[in-house]
Each structure stands twice: as C-alpha cells, then as structure tokens.
Amino acid sequence: MIIVSLVRYLAGDVLRAGRWVAPGVLFLILTVSGTAVGGTALGGYGFTATALLPIAIWVTITVLNSEDPIQTGITTVAVGSALTVRLTKLAVAFLACQFLTAIGVLWPLLTGHRATASDVLAGLIGHLLSSLAGVAFGGLLSRPLLRAPAWAVIGGIVVFLLEILIPGFPPVRPIAVSFSDVPPTSAELFRTLGQVAAETVIGAVVLIGLAQRLAQRRT
Amino acid sequence: MTETEAASLRGVWKRYSRSGGWVLRNVDLVIGAGTVHAVLGGNGDGKSTLLRILAGLSSASKGAARRPRRSVSYVPERLPAALRMTAERYLLQMARLRGPEADLIQARSLNLLERLQLSPGPDVPIIQLSKGNRQKVSLAQAFGFPAVLTVLDEPFSGLDREATAELRAILAETRADGRSVVVGAHHPAALEDADAFHRLTVGRLRPAPASTSPGSLRSGSGPVRSGDRLARIELRAVEATASAALLAELPGVRSVDDEPASGQVVVITSDPDGALRTALSHGWSFVRGDLQLAEAEETW
C-alpha cells in the first residue's frame, strides 16, 4: 500500500515536471525514422532496442533527479527507508521505459513489417533488457552520486559507446547482432537472448547495489 | 533503546569523505520519551548533520545511532519552493506514505495549518507561498503524524509572532502526549520550554549551561519591539571583573550563552552598541559579531 502510494507520488511528480517529454519524443522519432525503410520487424527491433538504452539512462536520471533532495529527505523519513525510496524511483523509471518498449515493439507491426510471434517475443525481451540496463546505468549517473547534469550526459554517452563498440557487451550489442537482417533460427535467437538476459540481470543487480552503497556514503 | 528512550546517539563521529574533516566528534545524546531537546549551534557546527542522523537520513561514520525506524517526522531547514502541487495535495501525498490512516493524518495536518494560519490557504500551489508559509506546511506535514520522534531544523525560521506562539503550543502538546522532539536552532530564542539545551561547537556536543535558557536571562527591558534587529556578539573575558550576569541585565540583551571552557560568551541583543560599551569597560574583549542576525519579530 505504501509502495503503491510512493509510486503514485513519484510518478505524479515526474509527470508534472514535464521533463519526460524530450526523451519520449526523441525515442518516437528514432523509432519512426529507424524503421522507415521496411524489412523485417526483427531488424527494426535491433535498432530500437539499441536506441532505448541511452533513452532509458536519460529517463532514469530524470526520475531520480526530479524530486528536490530536501524533499527526498522528508519522503525518506515518512517511508522509513532510503533503500525503499531509491528502489521505487528505479522501478518508476523502468515502468516509464515500458511505454517506450510498447512503442518500439508495436510500431513496426503497425507499419506493415514482417514479423512472426517469436520475432515479437524476442523484440519484447530485447527492449526489456535494454531498458533494464539503462535504468541500472542511470542510477549511477544521478543524484546523489552525480549532481552536475554535464557529467551525467558525458557518462551516458560513454556507457552507450562502450555498449555498442565492445563485442559481446550485454545487452545491446549481442541483441543488435542477433536481430540483424540475416536472422538465426528461433532456437539460436532465444539461446542468445537467454544468455544476454542472465548477464544483464546480474549486471543490473550489481550496478544498482553499487549505486546504493555509494549513495549511502554520500549522505 | 529503552522504553523511556525515544532515540540516542552514542559516541557518534561523522565525516563525509575519508579525507574530509570530522563534522561531528564523539557526540552523545539521549532523547528521553516525552522530552523536548534544543540543539544550539552556529553555521557549520554540524547541527543539520546531527539532526539528519537522528532522522535516519545520514549514517554515523563511527558510533551508534538509535531511533524508531518508522515513527519519525522531519522538518528540514526549508521546504523546497518548487513543489508542484497545492499544500492540501502535498499533505495528502505525504500522509499516504505513512500507511493506512492517511485521511486521518491529512485531517490533522490541515487542522495544524489552520492553527498556524496558512495564508492564503491550503488550496494554493506551494510554489506561490512565502518562506514562512512553506515552513507552516512543512510543520503541518511533520506534526500531522504522531511520530515517536520529531526532528526540526530551524523550525522558527520565517514564522511570524502568532505562528511562533502556536508552534510552541504544538511542542508542548507533543511532549504532553509522551512524544519527543529535537529542535536545532542557531540560538535559544522561543525555546524557553525545552527540557534540555545542548551546544554544538565545531562538531562537539556539550550540555549548554543553565544560563542558555533565555527565560532566566531575559533582560528587564520588556517585550521586543517589532522591527528590532538582533545582533550576535562574541566576547572574551580578559579581566577578573568580567561578569556574564552583568551582561544579562543590560537593556536589549535577549540571551547570554556562557562558555566557561574558552572564557567566552555569546550575547544576543537588540542594542549592540550599549552592550559593547558596557562590556569593554567591564573586563570583556570583543572577539567577533554579527550585527544583522535577524528581525526580532521573526525570531521571538
């Protein structure tokens, strides 16, 4: 009950601030333009899942930095746990990213791209993993760890470049490769996705735990 | 923590980085149930850090801090100006974070806003409220929930005379309910009723001398006039004739905080010229002063 109230309060605060508009619109533009040339839906999903990573970082920083730090103190005392408040903010960011996941997965279908049920399922998993990684990295690039927006932008760009340039770096590079225009068989695709999912979830838990530990030290 | 103890700090040290200096040094503080404690200190003495540790917002680097986990209320030094909702909505949101009795807590908070005379009203966005009125919202948020421990950082800041009197009444009611309050303040104005005074100086907490209580030291010059400005003057005794009691009797002097260890006193007065003239001719030496401390009306 308290968690539901906390989610409603935090989500309301983010919505009222309006800072979600820019990353939301940018992802919409990237989705429309990146899937405009036709081809398979799976190829489009490779592009939109990759694009979702930096957007998810941006959304997460927006959510975590939305509440004034002084008000965060009041919220934390009312809830009784800084960990609960921080994890709930990350959950709100992840939920917000799933609106973008819906756009990324549905848009190619609505615009006539060829897709099987397993393509759509793979696309959905790819977007979920990309947004989870974005939320985990975003937690490291926001208050109270990084207060200056300029460092957060630089950090986000560095993370994105590492993700797309280092072979095998989960999740976006292996997802983009396995979703590329010469599709593997479904069995191969989901085997790769399963491995990427395990690596991404473990990595996200480590990053979120690290950010929480560092945040505790800063307060 | 015992049944008669609402919170405690034992041997608490605090620094924000390994290379940074200590903000708190070996602080011991026991808050008994149903008591009001005043923690006095200047800017940078570690007052807000101590209050944040008591509220559970910061952890001690060394030592033990104990507090009721889910029954604490907190008023920061200022409520953020840019809260994007009305006071009424804000109080409901904060009440919902307390659990199932949100409606009751919000009703209590709105009642407190009425007592504190929020102007223009609870249906106005917080961003449009003055500093003093935001402080009233913050206080209503904190006292609407019957917390075992309430932590207030400069709660009188920006409040007018009527709201100050009402807050003192709320503090008395809270104590009568068996709940505890810790108040951080620059000086003891408006805290005559506190059960204990503590002085925080560069991170070290000591029981403040009885003379800290302004009630026992208030001069016979009558009530403070609206618009009087208070000055803070630090003096050091340089001759045996130097007497803190003499300073306390001077017109305009509101409090004299005696620090025997350093041989210094801190005088809060609305007549700094008169206090300095007398002090310098009676064995005191001027150390430093802040002649624009606050509007007397705001602090008393």
Side-chain angles (χ1 to χ4, degrees):
Chain A
M1 182 65 192
I2 290 173
I3 297 296
V4 173
S5 299
L6 186 56
V7 168
R8 286 174 60 183
Y9 160 67
L10 294 171
D13 188 56
V14 172
L15 286 174
R16 274 188 294 273
R19 294 199 183 98
W20 54 272
V21 173
V25 168
L26 179 59
F27 183 74
L28 190 61
I29 291 169
L30 288 172
T31 301
V32 172
S33 57
T35 58
V37 287
T40 64
L42 197 59
Y45 291 154
F47 175 80
T48 51
T50 301
L52 185 54
L53 179 90
I55 299 291
I57 292 175
W58 187 353
V59 168
T60 305
I61 294 171
T62 299
V63 172
L64 263 67
N65 289 358
S66 178
E67 196 183 35
D68 185 289
I70 295 172
Q71 177 54 42
T72 298
I74 298 173
T75 305
T76 300
V77 171
V79 172
S81 163
L83 179 63
T84 302
V85 172
R86 190 170 173 83
L87 290 180
T88 306
K89 285 183 179 182
L90 292 173
V92 168
F94 185 72
L95 288 174
C97 289
Q98 299 329 305
F99 286 101
L100 305 180
T101 291
I103 293 171
V105 172
L106 293 177
W107 184 261
L109 304 181
L110 296 173
T111 51
H113 290 70
R114 297 186 310 278
T116 63
S118 65
D119 290 347
V120 176
L121 180 61
L124 179 64
I125 294 170
H127 284 78
L128 286 171
L129 294 177
S130 182
S131 55
L132 178 62
V135 168
F137 282 119
L140 277 172
L141 298 171
S142 49
R143 288 187 200 135
L145 305 181
L146 276 187
R147 293 187 172 92
W151 287 112
V153 170
I154 292 169
I157 290 169
V158 168
V159 167
F160 182 58
L161 289 176
L162 291 175
E163 280 277 354
I164 58 172
L165 294 178
I166 298 178
F169 197 134
V172 294
R173 173 83 183 232
I175 287 173
V177 169
S178 61
F179 285 9
S180 59
D181 277 334
V182 188
T185 64
S186 283
E188 270 181 78
L189 181 63
F190 284 101
R191 195 163 40 244
T192 305
L193 275 179
Q195 186 185 339
V196 173
E199 291 168 353
T200 304
V201 170
I202 291 170
V205 169
V206 170
L207 287 179
I208 290 169
L210 175 68
Q212 175 59 22
R213 197 169 173 80
L214 292 173
Q216 271 179 329
R217 278 196 185 175
R218 294 292 296 267
T219 55
Chain B
M1 208 157 60
T2 65
E3 274 184 32
T4 57
E5 191 182 298
S8 66
L9 303 178
R10 289 191 166 86
V12 163
W13 295 69
K14 175 67 183 180
R15 62 181 171 188
Y16 287 98
S17 66
R18 286 190 179 174
S19 57
W22 291 104
V23 180
L24 296 178
R25 299 159 184 265
N26 200 24
V27 168
D28 287 307
L29 178 63
V30 176
I31 311 297
T35 57
V36 175
H37 288 245
V39 176
L40 309 172
N43 295 329
D45 278 329
K47 189 161 37 67
S48 291
T49 297
L50 185 152
L51 297 174
R52 284 175 60 83
I53 290 176
L54 272 176
L57 293 171
S58 188
S59 51
S61 305
K62 286 197 280 183
R66 307 184 73 130
R67 72 188 77 80
R69 183 167 178 265
R70 285 236 53 217
S71 192
V72 181
S73 282
Y74 173 61
V75 171
E77 200 168 349
R78 59 173 179 83
L79 190 68
L83 284 171
R84 307 171 193 96
M85 60 185 99
T86 65
E88 193 172 15
R89 179 81 187 155
Y90 173 74
L91 292 173
L92 178 62
Q93 297 273 19
M94 291 301 105
R96 282 178 175 157
L97 300 183
R98 296 290 192 175
E101 295 192 325
D103 290 343
L104 181 64
I105 294 167
Q106 190 209 19
R108 285 171 56 116
S109 295
L110 289 172
N111 177 258
L112 286 163
L113 271 190
E114 265 188 50
R115 288 178 60 181
L116 291 164
Q117 298 178 25
L118 179 77
S119 175
D123 54 348
V124 172
I126 290 173
I127 199 166
Q128 294 175 16
L129 297 177
S130 67
K131 179 190 172 196
N133 281 318
R134 288 202 305 275
Q135 187 74 339
K136 293 173 187 176
V137 175
S138 190
L139 290 164
Q141 171 273 134
F143 284 104
F145 178 72
V148 171
L149 174 68
T150 301
V151 178
L152 311 173
D153 196 349
E154 296 289 352
F156 295 99
S157 172
L159 293 187
D160 55 27
R161 192 191 302 266
E162 291 75 18
T164 297
E166 200 56 48
L167 176 55
R168 290 176 63 180
I170 293 167
L171 288 176
E173 291 163 19
T174 305
R175 173 170 48 195
D177 281 354
R179 295 180 279 124
S180 306
V181 183
V182 181
V183 185
H186 285 302
H187 50 86
L191 283 166
E192 292 97 327
D193 307 327
D195 298 295
F197 289 85
H198 311 269
R199 166 69 64 184
L200 194 58
T201 310
V202 203
R204 290 196 185 279
L205 190 73
R206 295 171 300 174
S211 62
T212 299
S213 167
S216 63
L217 286 171
R218 192 178 290 177
S219 76
S221 59
V224 178
R225 294 182 303 279
S226 172
D228 279 355
R229 298 199 71 84
L230 294 180
R232 181 180 189 275
I233 304 169
E234 291 182 34
L235 303 166
R236 187 177 69 244
V238 290
E239 292 175 20
T241 54
S243 161
L246 172 73
L247 298 176
E249 293 303 318
L250 294 175
V253 170
R254 306 303 159 202
S255 70
V256 178
D257 184 7
D258 195 357
E259 297 182 348
S262 62
Q264 288 193 11
V265 296
V266 177
V267 180
I268 306 294
T269 176
S270 60
D271 180 17
D273 291 347
L276 267 178
R277 252 195 309 273
T278 306
L280 295 176
S281 61
H282 286 81
W284 294 98
S285 172
F286 177 75
V287 177
R288 69 176 67 85
D290 179 359
L291 300 180
Q292 298 287 315
L293 193 61
E295 285 285 351
E297 192 176 35
E298 287 182 356
T299 50
W300 285 75

